[in-house]
Amino acid sequence: MAAPPPRAGGCPIHHDAAPAGLGPTGCPVSAGAAGFDPFENGYQQDPPEYVRWAREQEPIFYSPRLGYWVVTRYEAIKAIFRDNLTFSPSIALEKITPTGPEANAVLEQYGYAMNRTLVNEDEPAHMPRRRILMEPFTPEHLKHHEPMVRRLAREYVDRFIDDGRADLVDQMLWEVPLTVALHFLGVPEEDMDTLRRYSIAHTVNTWGRPKPEEQVAVAHAVGNFWQYAGKVLEKMRQAPDQPGWMRYGIRKQQEHPEVVTDSYLHSMMMAGIVAAHETTANATANAIKLLLQHPEAWREICEDPGLIPSAVEECLRHNGSVAAWRRLVTRDTRIEGVDIPAGSKLLIVTSSANHDDRHFADADFFDIRRENASDHLTFGYGSHQCMGKNLARMEMQIFLQELTRRLPHMRLADQRFTYVPNTSFRGPEHLWVEWDPARNPERRDAALLQAQPPVRIGEPSRHAIARGVVVESATPVADGIVKLRLVSPDGRALPRWTPGSHIDVECGEPERSRQYSLCGDPADAGALEIAVLHEPQGRGGSSWIHGNVRVGDKLRIRGPRNHFRMDETAARLILVAGGIGITPIAAMARRARELGMDYELHYSGRSRAAMAFLDELAALHGSRLRVYVSEEGRRNDLAALLGQPREGWKICACGPRRMLEALEAHCAAWPDDALRIEHFESNLPQLDPAKEHAFEVELKDSGITVTVPADRTVLAALRAANIDVPSDCEEGLCGSCEVRVLAGQVDHRDMVLTRAEREANDRMMTCCSRACGGKLVLEL
Ligand code: HEM
Ligand code: FES
C-alpha cells in the first residue's frame, strides 16, 4: 500500500502499514536520520563524512527535519539521474526552506516570477530546448574562450603576486568566474559588485535556511536580481547578433518560439549566472584548498602541469562544489529496497556517492592519478548533466596552471573555514594563502610568464597521467635483455598491480612511449620491474633504453594497467611464453603458485643465453616449468599440448606474433574465451573514410542522437557532443573506452573482446569499433 507523501517535520510512513525494507518498527526514521541536519556545521564542513553512517548502514533514509528522503550511494544516485521521468528535476531550484509571507510579499513586489529553465524542466519540454541550446558548450566553441579566461586569471594574480598573502576567494576566485560567466552569457561587465551580492542571496534563497529576519533582505536582493536580469535581457534583444549564449538563445527563439520561451529566457538570465559562476568559483576554491592540504600532490602538479586535468577531476570528485541535488518522485517506486511513494522529495547527496567505496577504490583517498575520477556525479549525470562542465574544467585548469607556475611556494595560512549554510552549493567563504614574494620564480625568470600551457577541453585523458620514477638498478638478465628496477623518487609506495599488467615508459620524449609488462613480484609495493629486450630493428624504444638508461636516472611512466588478466578460477592454467614474452607470464606463474592453482609454464627461446630468468623460474616452479630451446632442438609441441579442448582449462600466452598465431590456430576448437593473449601492437588500420559509412548513435541516458561521420571514430563524435568517455590507447588494445550497447549490430575492431564477447553484442570499444548498420543505441 502506498503511504501518503512525506510532510516536513513528520514521519511519512504509517507505522502499522510498514512497507518492505524498513526496520522492525516500520518507522524509517532511525536515530541517525532524525539527527540529520544539512545546515549544521558537520555537513557544511564535510558532507560525505557527515553521511558516512548512512552510506554504510542506511543508504536511503527519511529526514524529518528536511522533509526529504536522503540517498547516499553511487549506483542508486546514478540510477535516479538516469530516469528523469520517475525522478523529476522540477524541484531542483525550489526553495528548500519555504519563506514566510513577508518575504513572499517582497518578492511579489518585484514581479519575481522565476520559472523553469533547463535544470528543473521536465520532459518533453526539456530535451528539445537542451538540444537547441547546446552548441555554444561544445569543445569546438569553448576553445574560443580560453584566451579570455587566461587573461583574466593572469591579471588577477598580477594584483597580489608581490603581497605574500591573499584571500584567493575575495581576490580572484569569486570575480574571475563571474566575469567569465558574464562573457559566456554575453552580459555587460558593469554592476559586478551588485551581482555578486545578488547571487549569494539567490543561493541562500534557494538552498539555504535564512533566519526570518534575514529573509526579507534576501528577498529584496533576489527581487533586484530578477529585475536586473530582465533589463539586461531587453538590452540584448536590441543587438541579438552579438556573441554570448543568451543572445544565441534569443536568436534560436526566433526559429523555435515554442521551445525557447520568454519565461525561459528571463529565468535563465538569472539562473545561468548562478549556474556558471558560484559552482565554478566554489569548485576552484575547494580544489586549491584540497591540493594545498596535500602538499605532495601540489608539488607534483607544480613539477608536472600535465597532471592538472586529472587533478581537477579528482578535486571535483573528492570535494566538489555541488554537494547534493534534488529530485521529485513522480510515481511509487523502490530505492535501495525501500518503497518510496509518489510525491516524495529526494536529496541525492552526490558528494557522498563520490566517496562510495563500491564505485571508487579507497574512495576517501585523494589520488590525482585516479583513473575513474571523471565518473564523479558532481556535474550530475544523464539528460540534465551539467552543460557547462567543460567550461568549468577549462577555468579550473587555467587557475591551477597560473598558480602552480607563479606561486609554487604558496601554502595555506592558518584559518577556520566557513561555508554559506545550504544543502547544495559548497565552497569556503575565504581561502587565505601565503608565500614569500622574494622566492617568486618570475623574479628570477621573466620568460616564465610567456608560457602557454595546453588546456584540455573535456574529461582528462588517462594518457596524460604520468609519474616520475628512478632507476634503482639495471641488471643484464640474458643476452640483449636488461632488467630495470624502478622506484618512486621519494620512497613512497608505487601503485599496486596484478599479473599481466604493463606500464608505459616514455623513452626520451612523451611521443615515444612504449609498453613493457611488469615481471617482478606484485607484493613488492616499493618497486616496479620490467625486462627490456634490445631490438635494433624495432621502433626505437628499446634502443633508447639500452643506449641511455643508467642507475639513478629518472624516467616517466604511466600505469600500471592490466589488459591481460589471468583467470584465477581456471581448473588448469596453461602459461605459454616465447622469448621476451616471459615477462607477464612469469608474474602470472608466481601468482598461480601462490594461489595453489594447477598450472604449467611452457617457455620457449632461441638459446639458453637469450632466455631471461631461467634459473629463477626453475627454482620457483620446479617440474611445472617446461623449457624449449630451439638451438638444442626442442620445440613446444602445441598440437600435443592443445590437441584436445579441456573443460575449465585456460591458456595465457605472450610471445612472438608467429607463436601466437599458431596458438590461435590450435585453439580453434576450444571454447571462445579459453585463450587470452597479450597484444602489444594493434593491427588496426587507419580509418579510411572511403571504406566507411556514417551512422547514428542514440545515447539512451543523455537523450540525444549523435551522428558518427565516415571519417570520425565513435569516441571522437561523442566527445564533440560533450559526452564524457574515458580512453587510453585509442587503438583498440586497452578496453578503457568500452560502453554498453543496448541495440544495433556492432562491427567490432578491437583486440580486447573475445569472440564470445563480440557475439554477445552488448558492449563495444568506441575508439575503433563501428556500426554494421545505420544505428547503435548506447547506454550513455
Ligand atoms: C546543470 C553542477 C558549472 C551550466 C548542472 C547540474 C549540476 C551542475 C549538478 C544538474 C545536473 C543534473 O540534474 O543531472 C555544476 C558544477 C559546476 C558547473 C559543479 C562547476 C564546477 C557550470 C557552468 C555553466 C553551467 C560554468 C555554464 C556556463 C549548467 C546548465 C545546466 C547545469 C545550463 C542545466 C542542464 C540541463 O538541465 O539540461 N550543473 N555546474 N554549469 N549546469 Fe552546471
Ligand atoms: Fe583503448 Fe579504446 S581506448 S581500447
Side-chain angles (χ1 to χ4, degrees), residues 192-340:
M192 201 178 283
D193 274 346
T194 327
L195 261 173
R196 173 187 165 151
R197 243 188 14 257
Y198 289 163
S199 64
I200 286 210
H202 180 64
T203 303
V204 176
N205 183 47
T206 309
W207 288 279
R209 184 185 279 172
K211 295 193 187 77
E213 64 274 18
E214 285 167 353
Q215 282 188 7
V216 171
V218 167
H220 278 292
V222 170
N224 274 316
F225 194 0
W226 175 255
Q227 291 198 342
Y228 171 83
K231 281 192 204 123
V232 175
L233 191 63
E234 276 321 302
K235 236 193 268 178
M236 289 178 166
R237 283 191 193 278
Q238 308 311 314
D241 293 329
Q242 297 286 310
W245 189 48
M246 288 310 300
R247 288 197 181 83
Y248 183 85
I250 290 169
R251 295 198 294 278
K252 289 287 167 187
Q253 186 179 39
Q254 287 159 10
E255 293 164 38
H256 310 275
E258 69 302 339
V259 180
V260 184
T261 58
D262 281 343
S263 155
Y264 159 76
L265 283 173
H266 192 165
S267 300
M268 196 63 193
M269 207 30 248
M270 184 163 155
I273 295 172
V274 180
H277 168 213
E278 279 187 49
T279 48
T280 315
N282 283 334
T284 317
N286 288 334
I288 294 172
K289 171 171 171 277
L290 192 60
L291 285 160
L292 292 178
Q293 284 170 332
H294 293 82
E296 71 294 348
W298 176 259
R299 189 171 43 75
E300 283 193 276
I301 62 167
C302 289
E303 283 169 7
D304 182 0
L307 286 169
I308 288 178
S310 64
V312 162
E313 215 61 27
E314 176 67 347
C315 290
L316 285 165
R317 180 195 76 85
H318 196 280
N319 198 0
S321 53
V322 172
W325 210 241
R326 286 183 281 164
R327 289 291 189 256
L328 175 70
V329 177
T330 59
R331 51 187 173 223
D332 290 358
T333 185
R334 239 173 129 78
I335 303 174
E336 303 277 16
V338 177
D339 287 332
I340 307 295

Side-chain angles (χ1 to χ4, degrees), residues 118 127-139 141-142 184 245 248 252 382-390 702 704 720-723:
L118 278 162
M127 275 319 290
R129 195 177 288 162
R130 180 173 165 112
R131 279 187 212 114
I132 286 175
L133 298 171
M134 182 57 104
E135 197 173 287
F137 289 99
T138 53
H141 287 80
L142 284 182
F184 180 79
W245 189 48
Y248 183 85
K252 289 287 167 187
S383 59
H384 283 272
Q385 194 191 39
C386 179
M387 287 164 81
K389 63 185 177 184
N390 288 332
S702 311
I704 55 168
N722 256 359
I723 301 295

